[in-house]
Amino acid sequence: MTTTPAAFQRCISPECGQTYDLSQTLVACPKCGDLLDIAYDWDRLAPPKTWKDIEANWAKRTNPLNFSGVWRFRSLFPFATDEQIVTLGEGQTLLQQTDEVGKFVGLDSGKLHLQYEGMNPSGSFKDNGMTAAFTHAHMVGAKRAACASTGNTSASLAMYCSVTRLMKAVIFIGSGKISYGKLSQALDYGALTLQIAGDFDDAMARVKEVSKDMGIYLVNSVNPFRLEGQKSVMFRVLEALQWEPPDWIVVPGGNLGNSSAFGKAFAELKELGLINRIPRLAVINASGADTLDQLYNNQEVRWNGGNYPRHKIAAYYEKMDAENRKASTLASAIEINRPVNLHKCLRALSDCDGVVRQVSDQEIMDAKSRVGSGGMGCEPASAASVAGAKILREQGVIAPSDRVVCILTGHLLKDPTATVAYHTTDQDTFNSVLGSRGVKRATFANRAVAVKNDMNDIVQAIQLYG
Ligand code: F0G
C-alpha cells in the first residue's frame, strides 16, 4: 500500500503519544487504549499557505475531487493519494444567513448563520466523514464495513456501499431507536441491517466487539479517518464567511465526533497560520442524553493538557450502569449516554474556549419548527444547536452582536414522525410521539386546515387563513 509518508496515526494522550502507520486499522491505541488522531508532519507536506491556494481548486471542479466539498480541502488532511480517494460528490452544503431564526435566538440582524449539512447526498453531515473513512477502508482492502448507528451513519455507510459496490455494509441499530427516514435508507440501499434488542450504546459496544473478532472495518467516529473528513464542515463555514472566523460555532453533541473534528480543524488552521483567531465552541446535549453536560459542568471534568480525570469519568459511568440509566430523547440521533469521542471533545473544548449546555425536547421541537419556518428545515437533533444558542444568548454568554453559526446536522425529512406530530391536530398522535417525551405544547404549530372538497369552502379558508 502506498501512503502519504508524512501522515500517520497518533494516540491523543500526550503521555503516551504512540504513533502508528496509516496501513493499520485501529479504533484505539493498542498501547494505552485512548483514542487516535490522524497527525501530519506539515514540514514534509505542502499545506496551503493562503486560502487562495484552496480557492484555486474550485476553478478545476470538473475533477470530482475538486467538486467534492470535502476533498477540495484535501491538502488540509493529506492522508490519501488522489487515486485512492472514494468520493460521491459530498459536501455541497450551504451557509445560510437568516434573520427570522436569528430573532428567535435573540441575535442582531445579520448575525445568525445556519450550516445546512442535510444537503449531503444521504441527507446528513455523516457523508463528510464517511467518504474519508471509506477511502481508508478501501486503502487497506476492506471488503466489509460496519457501524452502530442512530440512523444517519448507517444511511451514509449503506449509500457508499450501494453506489461504489466496493464493500458490503453491516449495520447495528437499537431496536425501535431509529427514525423511519433513516431506516428506509438503510433498507433500500441494501445494507445488512441488524436490529439489536437495546439502544445505541448497546449496539456500539457490540459492533466494536464483532468487528474486532471478524476483521470488519468499523466506520463509527472512533475511526480517526472519519473526523478528518468532518473537519471540512468548518473549512466550508470559513469559506462562506470569506475566511473570517465567526465568534461561535454551536453544534449538537451525541457521540461527539463533530465537536472533536471542529476543534482539531481550528487548532491545525491556527498552527498553519491560516486563521489567527479560533471561534468559541458550544456543544449542546439533549437533556435526556446529557453525559457531556454532567461531566463538564457538574463535575468540572476538563482536558487539562491530556491529564483529564479518568477516575471521575469511570465513576460516572459506573453509577450510570448501576442505576441502569438509559439515554432518552426524541432527538433520536443524539440519544447516546456513552459518547465515544468524549476525550477528544474535552480537548476541543479546551482549544476553543468551549461551553456545554443541555436543552429539553420541548426546546428542541420549538427550535426545530422555527428553523423550518425561517429556513430549509432540519431533524430534531440538529435543532439542539439553535435551542442551545438561544439559551446561551439568554444567559448572556453569547452577545446579541456575536456572529454565530449553528450546525444543522441532518435533513428535515429524516424524521417526519416528529414533525407531523408537532403540527398535528390529532391529540393522540401528539401524545404518543411528543407528549410521552415531556413535550407539553406545540408552541409554533402550523396546523393543517380541514376543508370540504367544495369551491366555496376552499375559497373561504384561503381568505381566512392565507
Ligand atoms: N446530529 C445528527 C443528525 C446525528 O445523526 C448525530 C449522530 C449527531 C447530531 C451527533 O453528532 O456524534 O458527532 O456528536 N448520529 C450518529 C449516527 C450517532 O449513528 O448516525 P456527534
Side-chain angles (χ1 to χ4, degrees):
M1 193 188 78
T2 40
T3 54
T4 316
F8 50 93
Q9 307 188 65
R10 182 174 62 204
C11 178
I12 67 162
S13 163
E15 220 170 73
C16 173
Q18 188 71 29
T19 62
Y20 304 94
D21 192 74
L22 288 184
S23 64
Q24 297 200 51
T25 301
L26 301 166
V27 290
C29 173
K31 192 168 161 219
C32 78
D34 214 330
L35 295 164
L36 295 168
D37 269 334
I38 307 304
Y40 307 96
D41 181 353
W42 295 113
D43 291 339
R44 292 164 59 203
L45 291 160
K49 290 197 178 56
T50 71
W51 290 113
K52 289 241 169 325
D53 298 344
I54 295 266
E55 283 171 350
N57 282 344
W58 189 235
K60 296 177 257 170
R61 62 186 174 275
T62 47
N63 173 355
L65 299 189
N66 291 332
F67 177 77
S68 166
V70 175
W71 295 105
R72 66 197 155 86
F73 296 98
R74 61 195 177 282
S75 54
L76 293 167
F77 49 101
F79 69 81
T81 62
D82 282 7
E83 295 68 36
Q84 290 168 326
I85 291 170
V86 183
T87 175
L88 299 184
E90 55 290 307
Q92 304 302 325
T93 65
L94 181 74
L95 187 78
Q96 184 201 33
Q97 191 262 309
T98 159
D99 280 350
E100 184 64 26
V101 189
K103 236 185 286 162
F104 170 73
V105 169
L107 289 170
D108 291 347
S109 169
K111 297 300 180 180
L112 181 71
H113 294 77
L114 303 175
Q115 175 69 10
Y116 276 99
E117 289 304 310
M119 291 170 73
N120 273 292
S122 81
S124 86
F125 75 91
K126 300 287 178 179
D127 300 342
N128 294 296
M130 198 57 66
T131 184
F134 209 82
T135 291
H136 182 250
H138 187 46
M139 283 162 70
V140 297
K143 292 283 168 275
R144 273 196 294 215
C147 66
S149 185
T150 55
N152 281 328
T153 305
S154 50
S156 183
L157 171 63
M159 181 187 73
Y160 277 84
C161 287
S162 72
V163 176
T164 67
R165 317 305 298 172
L166 290 172
M167 268 163 258
K168 289 233 160 78
V170 183
I171 66 174
F172 288 57
I173 55 176
S175 193
K177 294 288 184 187
I178 163 172
S179 65
Y180 263 30
K182 302 172 191 179
L183 180 61
S184 51
Q185 287 181 285
L187 297 175
D188 220 34
Y189 292 138
L192 170 59
T193 305
L194 304 174
Q195 288 185 289
I196 309 287
D199 64 6
F200 173 83
D201 294 313
D202 300 319
M204 187 70 232
R206 197 57 84 183
V207 76
K208 272 186 177 169
E209 212 178 318
V210 172
S211 30
K212 196 165 168 210
D213 267 21
M214 297 183 67
I216 302 178
Y217 190 93
L218 187 65
V219 299
N220 278 103
S221 53
V222 273
N223 178 321
F225 294 92
R226 268 272 308 271
L227 302 196
E228 291 307 289
Q230 286 172 219
K231 292 192 305 193
S232 69
V233 179
M234 289 303 102
F235 304 151
R236 293 196 296 276
V237 165
L238 289 172
E239 180 181 53
L241 296 174
Q242 287 163 28
W243 315 114
E244 179 60 41
D247 297 305
W248 287 93
I249 300 289
V250 191
V251 65
N255 240 348
L256 306 179
N258 266 333
S259 43
S260 300
F262 299 171
K264 186 171 189 281
F266 288 123
E268 288 171 351
L269 291 178
K270 186 101 192 298
E271 186 193 338
L272 292 173
L274 286 164
I275 54 172
N276 49 27
R277 183 172 61 80
I278 291 182
R280 295 190 69 186
L281 181 68
V283 186
I284 314 298
N285 274 164
S287 300
D290 62 348
T291 298
L292 180 67
D293 183 48
Q294 291 296 335
L295 289 173
Y296 196 74
N297 290 324
N298 289 350
Q299 311 227 12
E300 294 181 4
V301 167
R302 294 290 184 275
W303 169 248
N304 192 24
N307 283 318
Y308 49 86
R310 290 165 173 76
H311 59 283
K312 271 196 191 175
I313 298 171
Y316 181 84
Y317 285 140
E318 260 169 45
K319 190 158 182 277
M320 194 170 81
D321 288 345
E323 294 170 358
N324 197 24
R325 212 160 3 103
K326 298 286 184 189
S328 174
T329 166
L330 64 78
S332 56
I334 52 174
E335 195 174 44
I336 297 170
N337 259 354
R338 283 181 182 271
V340 296
N341 287 300
L342 176 67
H343 303 167
K344 279 188 182 174
C345 178
L346 292 173
R347 181 179 66 180
L349 288 164
S350 163
D351 286 344
C352 305
D353 189 15
V355 298
V356 178
R357 291 292 183 273
Q358 58 168 274
V359 290
S360 67
D361 284 1
Q362 177 77 56
E363 290 162 329
I364 286 174
M365 289 309 293
D366 286 340
K368 187 180 108 58
S369 85
R370 294 301 81 203
V371 171
S373 85
M376 289 189 276
C378 64
E379 66 167 284
S382 312
S385 61
V386 172
K390 183 174 178 359
I391 284 179
L392 288 164
R393 191 38 227 104
E394 282 160 8
Q395 293 172 345
V397 180
I398 293 180
S401 57
D402 282 351
R403 205 146 68 135
V404 178
V405 174
C406 291
I407 312 301
L408 299 182
T409 46
H411 200 285
L412 170 69
L413 295 176
K414 289 281 190 175
D415 190 353
T417 313
T419 306
V420 172
Y422 187 85
H423 295 289
T424 189
T425 50
D426 175 20
Q427 200 59 37
D428 289 344
T429 304
F430 179 89
N431 287 342
S432 76
V433 180
L434 303 179
S436 59
R437 301 287 195 164
V439 178
K440 293 210 161 40
R441 56 195 174 275
T443 319
F444 306 106
N446 175 28
R447 312 228 187 266
V449 180
V451 282
K452 281 198 211 124
N453 188 8
D454 173 276
M455 195 58 189
N456 283 340
D457 278 29
I458 292 169
V459 169
Q460 217 175 25
I462 294 171
Q463 280 168 343
L464 201 59
Y465 302 110

